[in-house]
């Protein structure tokens, strides 16, 4: 299910009060095996996986004017179709203070990030402030399965 407003996160917590809720977020511009593996590992942390997908303007700010390749609604639709993902919503902010809002509504048990996240210390701070356990996943894929969206875009450009 794709959520439209942060307030809808309250409904998730109320509907799954006895279950462990996992929260993860990111760009997820062009879906690939690394994303799928990440979501599978996230889901193993609890019962319900809620994923925040960065809005288009956030991605342009960090990755440049030609990104994202797919708009936020397309990316959210793709994410929620994956077996491990129960809910998805679009993150509407350019800064991490939005985590306070998300955590206050969702009240997740776990916040999962990848070890290659550029802002681990900031994420650690917000998780601690909100009493959410931060889980940092090790590199998930080895060898030819280790891929990023940027690598995939470069490969397509070379074709």
């Amino acid at each position: 299910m794709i959520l439209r407003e942060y307030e809808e996160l309250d409904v998730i917590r109320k509907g799954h009060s006895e279950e462990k809720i996992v929260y993860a977020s990111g760009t997820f511009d062009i879906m690939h095996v690394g994303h799928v593996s990440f979501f599978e590992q996230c889901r193993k942390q609890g019962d319900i996986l809620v994923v925040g997908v960065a809005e288009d303007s956030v991605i342009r700010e960090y990755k440049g004017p030609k990104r994202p390749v797919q708009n936020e609604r397309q990316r959210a639709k793709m994410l929620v179709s994956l077996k491990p993902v129960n809910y998805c919503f679009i993150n509407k902010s350019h800064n991490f203070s939005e985590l306070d809002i998300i955590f206050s509504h969702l009240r997740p048990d776990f916040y999962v990030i990848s070890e290659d996240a550029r802002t681990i210390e900031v994420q650690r701070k917000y998780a601690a402030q909100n009493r959410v356990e931060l889980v940092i996943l090790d590199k998930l894929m080895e060898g030819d399965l280790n891929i990023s969206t940027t690598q995939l875009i470069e490969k397509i450009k070379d074709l």
Side-chain angles (χ1 to χ4, degrees):
M1 170 184 276
I2 299 173
L3 306 174
R4 307 269 182 247
E5 301 295 329
Y6 289 140
E7 291 76 19
E8 292 178 87
L9 296 171
D10 292 316
V11 175
I12 295 172
R13 175 40 79 195
K14 288 176 187 169
H16 300 283
S17 61
E18 301 299 317
E19 295 172 285
K20 298 291 184 187
I21 294 179
V22 179
Y23 172 66
S25 63
T27 301
F28 314 116
D29 195 3
I30 298 177
M31 194 58 54
H32 56 72
V33 68
H35 292 136
V36 174
S37 181
F38 176 72
F39 296 131
E40 288 171 344
Q41 294 300 312
C42 287
R43 184 64 182 271
K44 287 179 182 178
Q45 307 301 314
D47 305 304
I48 301 296
L49 176 57
V50 180
V51 178
V53 61
E55 75 175 355
D56 295 346
S57 61
V58 172
I59 296 170
R60 278 191 290 279
E61 182 179 312
Y62 290 108
K63 300 197 182 254
K66 294 184 178 182
R67 298 282 297 276
V69 174
Q70 298 183 88
N71 71 44
E72 59 203 33
R73 293 185 65 213
Q74 292 167 332
R75 290 180 286 120
K77 176 68 175 165
M78 182 70 83
L79 287 172
V80 81
S81 73
L82 298 174
K83 190 187 295 189
V85 179
N86 298 99
Y87 301 93
C88 183
F89 67 96
I90 297 168
N91 289 344
K92 301 173 187 162
S93 176
H94 291 259
N95 59 51
F96 281 102
S97 63
E98 138 190 48
L99 281 174
D100 284 332
I101 297 166
I102 293 166
F103 289 159
S104 71
H105 287 288
L106 183 60
R107 296 181 307 285
D109 299 281
F110 303 100
Y111 175 36
V112 181
I113 63 174
S114 175
E115 70 177 351
D116 66 354
R118 293 176 289 168
T119 55
I120 290 176
E121 291 312 311
V122 174
Q123 292 165 296
R124 185 185 313 277
K125 177 186 115 181
Y126 280 100
Q129 281 177 192
N130 288 278
R131 297 186 180 128
V132 176
E133 184 176 335
L134 180 68
V135 176
I136 302 172
L137 295 179
D138 293 334
K139 190 173 183 179
L140 301 171
M141 306 301 276
E142 298 296 331
D144 65 345
L145 295 179
N146 183 22
I147 190 164
S148 72
T149 300
T150 302
Q151 291 170 331
L152 192 56
I153 289 170
E154 291 304 316
K155 190 172 185 175
I156 291 168
K157 283 180 182 178
D158 289 343
L159 291 179

